[in-house]
Amino acid sequence: MATYSAFTTTLIVLKLLLLLVALPKSHGARAFFVFGDSLVDNGNNNYLITTARADAPPYGIDYPTHRPTGRFSNGLNIPDLISQKLGSEPTLPYLSPRLHGNRLLVGTNFASAGVGILNDTGIQFANIIRITQQLQNFRAYQARVSLLIGPDQTQRLVNQALVLITLGGNDYVNNYFLAPVTARRLQYTIPQFTQYIIAEYRKILMELYNLGARRVLVTGSGPLGCVPSQLAARGRNGQCATEPQQAAALFNPQLLQMIQELNQETGSDNFVAVNAMQMQKDFINNPRDFGFVTSKVACCGQGPYNGVGVCTAVSNICADRNTYVFWDPFHPTERANKIIVETIDTGSDEYMYPMNLSTIMKLDTMMV
């Protein structure tokens, strides 16, 4: 009987050790999941037949490997920098063949450049992972992890994870404003379209909640009319384009209101509004206060403001990426991303509502 008891104890100890080995490597790290568009895609589109990709130089010129990774940046993007705040290694793209075994437990990045809240956003890019499919991939991910650590531990991992979702900008720039006349323009005014996509976004966030997400950073749109692509296409005399700015000014307050309602409905602060509009306006309006020489001209591109087309190996490219707000006609530089993530981490409720990332980490540590 004693032998059987010792054998049983040994099995229990071995199982516990295996579970500990399976946990993310970094001490205190929590899983991290990312959903959304090119602002947060870290390489999923590399595995797709699509024109929305960043897998060729000079993308990645300042990444640790100095090679393109599929990030729409000269270096690290927002999810990379948040992973650093979590004390964890960067998440792998969901489509990466390296995403298996213990790497699954760090979390993963489901994002795909070109997508929006609406499934008809980004149709010009052909094969992209629309948000409905990203959510389906999240279900499939949980099934894979359940085989590794069991369903109860998988639910715990997902409930305690941090989630980042970034959507909305493409619904305006690559849908509503894509051409002087679009189907959505004919169907809706800008205020009506904004109400529509906010209502659709609410469904997406509730689906994330139903899938187990309990700490979700939801980024609003940046100042859409001030990016180099819009300055080149719609701006006058270097001024931000009026209609995209109007859209962003409508979208962000309605997103905040919707998040407040969701938190009231779910009975907890499950969703956190990230005021990307205000964060970026600070250094777009006063670039020199942040050490930038310009917030109008992209580092890499061509045409007015380097805002025409996309960044390629034959584009103009600035010598010092640290002095530019925008890397290409649409996306911030690594340094601008660092400022954004510092504000996500420690910003006041002007930027982060109802709390910033540092507060989330403290609260959740006390609750574990």
Side-chain angles (χ1 to χ4, degrees), residues 51-72:
T51 56
R53 50 199 306 138
D55 59 344
Y59 285 96
I61 189 172
D62 299 309
Y63 193 74
T65 61
H66 304 291
R67 298 174 64 182
T69 63
R71 292 165 172 82
F72 286 75

Side-chain angles (χ1 to χ4, degrees), residues 103-345:
R103 287 195 177 103
L104 284 163
L105 305 178
V106 177
T108 188
N109 187 316
F110 299 96
S112 177
V115 305
I117 295 166
L118 305 179
N119 279 335
D120 63 310
T121 292
I123 56 174
Q124 67 271 31
F125 301 123
N127 189 23
I128 53 180
I129 312 171
R130 306 190 187 286
I131 190 61
T132 48
Q133 184 60 53
Q134 291 183 32
L135 294 173
Q136 289 176 24
N137 289 344
F138 191 28
R139 291 189 195 91
Y141 163 88
Q142 292 187 40
R144 292 171 63 186
V145 174
S146 290
L147 294 175
L148 187 66
I149 61 174
D152 291 344
Q153 287 298 323
T154 299
Q155 183 178 352
R156 182 171 178 267
L157 180 144
V158 170
N159 289 162
Q160 294 181 354
L162 183 72
V163 178
L164 172 69
I165 185 166
T166 300
L167 291 170
N170 280 331
D171 294 285
Y172 291 111
V173 175
N174 283 310
N175 191 333
Y176 192 89
F177 296 121
L178 183 61
V181 178
T182 63
R184 292 301 187 180
R185 268 185 181 270
L186 295 173
Q187 188 178 13
Y188 298 107
T189 64
I190 296 174
Q192 289 170 341
F193 184 71
T194 300
Q195 290 176 352
Y196 173 52
I197 61 174
I198 288 290
E200 293 301 304
Y201 206 174
R202 189 184 197 282
K203 297 174 187 175
I204 291 164
L205 295 180
M206 277 308 300
E207 182 63 15
L208 264 180
Y209 178 83
N210 291 336
L211 288 169
R214 293 295 181 269
R215 287 294 191 197
V216 185
L217 304 178
V218 186
T219 65
S221 74
L224 297 174
C226 302
V227 300
S229 68
Q230 296 303 300
L231 290 178
R234 305 171 190 278
R236 293 184 179 181
N237 301 318
Q239 299 301 306
C240 299
T242 302
E243 283 192 320
Q245 281 296 91
Q246 178 191 353
L250 290 170
F251 180 80
N252 287 291
Q254 291 184 42
L255 179 64
L256 173 59
Q257 181 180 350
M258 183 259 282
I259 285 172
Q260 290 172 325
E261 291 169 356
L262 281 179
N263 285 340
Q264 186 174 12
E265 183 177 325
T266 59
S268 185
D269 292 329
N270 295 297
F271 299 96
V272 174
V274 180
N275 191 340
M277 177 83 161
Q278 188 59 50
M279 291 178 189
Q280 293 182 47
K281 274 178 65 177
D282 287 349
F283 51 72
I284 285 174
N285 292 340
N286 303 291
R288 294 189 180 277
D289 290 351
F290 294 84
F292 297 113
V293 297
T294 180
S295 61
K296 296 183 183 297
V297 181
C299 173
C300 181
Q302 47 277 319
Y305 309 102
N306 273 348
V308 178
V310 295
C311 173
T312 71
V314 296
S315 297
N316 304 315
I317 185 167
C318 65
D320 186 359
R321 275 75 66 185
N322 286 330
T323 60
Y324 280 67
V325 169
F326 288 99
W327 159 244
D328 67 11
F330 306 95
H331 305 98
T333 57
E334 178 186 283
R335 183 158 178 271
N337 283 332
K338 286 180 177 178
I339 295 172
I340 291 168
V341 172
E342 283 301 321
T343 311
I344 288 172
D345 190 38

